[in-house]
Amino acid sequence: MSRVLIVDDEASICWAFGEYLGDLGHDVAVASSAEEGLDAARSGPFDAVVLDVRLPGMDGLTAMPAFRERIGDAPIIVITAFGSLDTAVRAMEAGAFDYLVKPFDLDEAGAVVRRALESAEPGRKGRAKDDEGPARTGLVGSSPPMQALFKQIALVAPTDVPVLITGESGTGKELVARAIHQNGPRGARTFLPVCLAALSPGLVEGELFGHVRGSFTGASQDRKGLLELAAGGTVLLDEIGDVPLGMQVKLLRAIEHREVTPVGDARPRGIDVRFLAATNRPLHRLMADNQFREDLYFRLSVFPIHIPPLRDRPEDIPELARHFIALADPSRGRAADLRPDTLAELRRRPWTGNVRELRNAIERAVILARGCPILPEHLPPAAASLAPESAGVDGLDPAIARWTEAALAALPDPDAEGADSLYDRFLAQVEPPMLRAVLRRESGNKALAAQRIGIHRGTLRQKLRRYGME
Ligand SMILES: Nc1ncnc2c1ncn2[C@@H]1O[C@H](COP(=O)(O)OP(=O)(O)OP(=O)(O)O)[C@@H](O)[C@H]1O
Ligand SMILES: [Mg+2]
């Protein structure tokens, strides 16, 4: 028999969960606030504490260190509200054994308590390993869009449906994919991100589906493809917008029928993977240009998740900044210092590279600050980015700035049929001369030119076709 303390201001939860654990033979005490719980913990040892985060008076996260003092190494299981995985993550980082998301089912909660008690048995001391139990997501942010995102993740993670994750570069698409994987039934198995844009068109099929011996020169033995190797796990089809059309048909078949045919083989083989896909390209535009298949789009977008750019959720900036400071320099601790002027500067910036840019800026600043408070001047120079309040075009080459201003003034109705976006028209201005120069430099070799400017060969070919430069 173990002694378990439940701290929750919802009497119904204390009662139902208390009864449940009592039936399992545990000795249960309940408290309706952190203060009351701490009093109880002072009066006797407990083997585990189940602690709600949202409490009247002191909240659960704040109370955790005080509970630690009183209960020693005994596991703490935290209860968080639906849609606030970030709190759960913080609790785990503060040493919680595991977390429960309200509303929880009693069997599931009972299983968590059982695991917690087992882990505390002599010889099994210590926290659960990262690969046990509901996993941490690493996703930070509590703005309304992030709350909505956490809700979507919680909804879709337990299922096996494909999820299409869209958002600008650096918004956290891969992190969201991991969170879906980790919080689902396949969480303990492989998570395999495959960057489809990085695989050359000639190799992508063999990489994904495998090949049989003799199927091409150099194929001296059978080789399993990535989709087969990830058996039981999750595959993230990253940069799905960059997959050549021919390959799209084959991917659709793999997703729909859960089978692949290795190159050179006639028989399809079953695969057991969950498919997630991510892209920062506007798939509906690619569809309109016949560069992306509708059937694949509809198959993938059963459950679409869009991550808004950081500039649309500036409330997340302080929390993200503190998170990245703590990651870069753990000695600064959780409540990492952020001076008001530094915070103001962080909030002022447009973060066109989204969370990734913020993370890089913070990592650099932490190094420059050498353990002292981070000052605005430790951040990378902001000159090159477009400050939102300047309406625009500071820091650009004057010729491009003039063009952009004119284009902004003449901006067509976004709903107008066939209207090219400002972005496309901008690219149509700057890309052709740049491509011409690179091609000239590489003596017309498209593969080398593509490599030189860091885009995929197929993408270069598409651009040349679009601008009639072939
Ligand atoms: N909400 C978040 N909380 C914590 N870290 C985040 C968050 N969003 C993004 N990051 C971090 O920002 C970086 C970029 O994230 P990620 O690689 O998932 O972006 P992405 O959307 O896949 O970008 P790309 O389109 O360029 O591939 C990573 O270091 C990731 O850990
Ligand atoms: Mg990515």
Side-chain angles (χ1 to χ4, degrees):
M1 183 176 81
S2 302
R3 288 201 78 203
V4 180
L5 172 62
I6 305 174
V7 186
D8 198 323
D9 58 328
E10 275 182 69
S12 58
I13 288 193
C14 289
W15 181 80
F17 199 24
E19 287 286 310
Y20 183 92
L21 292 176
D23 286 349
L24 293 180
H26 299 303
D27 180 9
V28 180
V30 299
S32 60
S33 70
E35 289 83 351
E36 202 183 315
L38 287 168
D39 276 340
R42 199 175 293 126
S43 64
F46 283 97
D47 301 298
V49 173
V50 180
L51 179 62
D52 194 1
V53 169
R54 217 178 290 163
L55 289 168
M58 196 192 310
D59 70 86
L61 277 187
T62 313
M64 268 184 66
F67 273 104
R68 259 289 152 259
E69 258 176 38
R70 290 172 176 66
I71 63 171
D73 275 342
I76 299 178
I77 297 154
V78 156
I79 305 178
T80 64
F82 192 58
S84 51
L85 283 179
D86 53 336
T87 320
V89 170
R90 253 181 284 151
M92 298 294 285
E93 281 171 347
F97 172 83
D98 211 335
Y99 64 88
L100 294 166
V101 179
K102 260 186 204 173
F104 52 77
D105 122 25
L106 287 175
D107 287 330
E108 172 209 334
V112 171
V113 171
R114 181 171 44 81
R115 264 193 294 122
L117 292 170
E118 282 171 3
S119 83
E121 274 164 27
R124 294 212 42 189
K125 277 233 173 293
R127 285 178 48 184
K129 285 203 209 75
D130 278 355
D131 56 1
E132 284 175 15
R136 304 159 55 169
T137 70
L139 276 168
V140 169
S142 34
S143 60
M146 286 306 281
Q147 295 286 335
L149 186 71
F150 291 134
K151 228 171 262 182
Q152 286 176 304
I153 293 173
L155 269 177
V156 81
T159 73
D160 229 11
V161 302
V163 179
L164 177 63
I165 308 162
T166 56
E168 290 179 8
S169 183
T171 46
K173 296 184 291 297
E174 185 167 337
L175 212 52
V176 166
R178 274 179 202 282
I180 294 172
H181 166 73
Q182 289 175 345
N183 288 285
R186 298 171 180 270
R189 313 295 290 273
T190 318
F191 173 77
L192 186 69
V194 185
C195 180
L196 295 167
L199 295 174
S200 75
L203 290 181
V204 66
E205 187 173 351
E207 287 289 331
L208 288 177
F209 302 158
H211 63 240
V212 296
R213 190 170 144 224
S215 56
F216 56 87
T217 338
S220 55
Q221 50 193 358
D222 288 4
R223 189 161 158 239
K224 280 191 180 168
L226 295 172
L227 299 186
E228 236 178 304
L229 289 174
T234 304
V235 171
L236 169 63
L237 301 170
D238 207 355
E239 319 287 357
I240 187 90
D242 296 84
V243 181
L245 277 171
M247 195 59 210
Q248 290 176 19
V249 189
K250 293 178 178 163
L251 272 180
L252 175 63
R253 205 172 307 142
I255 298 168
E256 218 154 43
H257 303 297
R258 301 225 188 182
E259 58 181 35
V260 295
T261 309
V263 177
D265 203 345
R267 292 153 298 140
R269 305 179 187 176
I271 48 168
D272 170 25
V273 295
R274 178 183 197 173
F275 285 99
L276 306 176
T279 180
N280 53 26
R281 306 189 60 192
L283 288 188
H284 50 278
R285 272 195 95 81
L286 296 182
M287 271 194 301
D289 292 348
N290 292 322
Q291 289 178 42
F292 202 84
R293 293 180 61 101
E294 270 191 17
D295 46 9
L296 179 58
Y297 176 78
F298 288 121
R299 189 72 202 118
L300 288 174
S301 60
V302 176
F303 196 101
I305 290 187
H306 180 72
I307 314 177
L310 188 55
R311 62 182 168 280
D312 290 350
R313 44 184 172 101
E315 317 91 285
D316 288 335
I317 290 175
E319 198 178 334
L320 282 165
R322 288 199 178 89
H323 172 69
F324 293 137
I325 292 173
L327 281 182
D329 181 1
S331 71
R332 287 174 185 257
R334 271 274 101 207
D337 56 323
L338 252 184
R339 290 166 42 120
D341 51 348
T342 308
L343 195 54
E345 177 59 26
L346 287 173
R347 282 174 168 282
R348 213 182 57 78
R349 298 203 175 189
W351 302 115
T352 45
N354 293 295
V355 184
R356 180 181 293 117
E357 186 189 358
L358 174 63
R359 178 176 191 159
N360 292 341
I362 295 283
E363 282 174 357
R364 174 180 187 274
V366 165
I367 293 169
L368 292 177
R370 303 190 190 182
C372 298
I374 294 169
L375 306 174
E377 48 267 43
H378 292 138
L379 298 170
S385 39
L386 301 176
E389 53 275 66
S390 75
V393 288
D394 286 349
L396 279 183
D397 174 283
I400 299 179
R402 268 196 306 282
W403 181 88
T404 308
E405 246 152 15
L408 278 170
L411 217 51
D413 175 358
D415 297 329
E417 283 279 328
D420 269 343
S421 71
L422 173 62
Y423 188 65
D424 285 349
R425 287 187 294 143
F426 171 76
L427 288 183
Q429 292 278 323
V430 295
E431 278 189 337
M434 192 254 297
L435 297 178
R436 228 171 273 128
V438 178
L439 278 167
R440 207 176 311 124
R441 187 162 153 178
E442 298 300 346
S443 318
N445 185 322
K446 288 176 197 154
L448 286 180
Q451 204 174 24
R452 170 80 59 187
I453 51 177
I455 63 175
H456 193 266
R457 224 171 31 198
T459 312
L460 176 65
R461 267 200 302 272
Q462 280 164 12
K463 288 184 187 298
L464 295 179
R465 216 175 303 135
R466 182 173 328 144
Y467 300 129
M469 288 171 57
E470 278 172 308

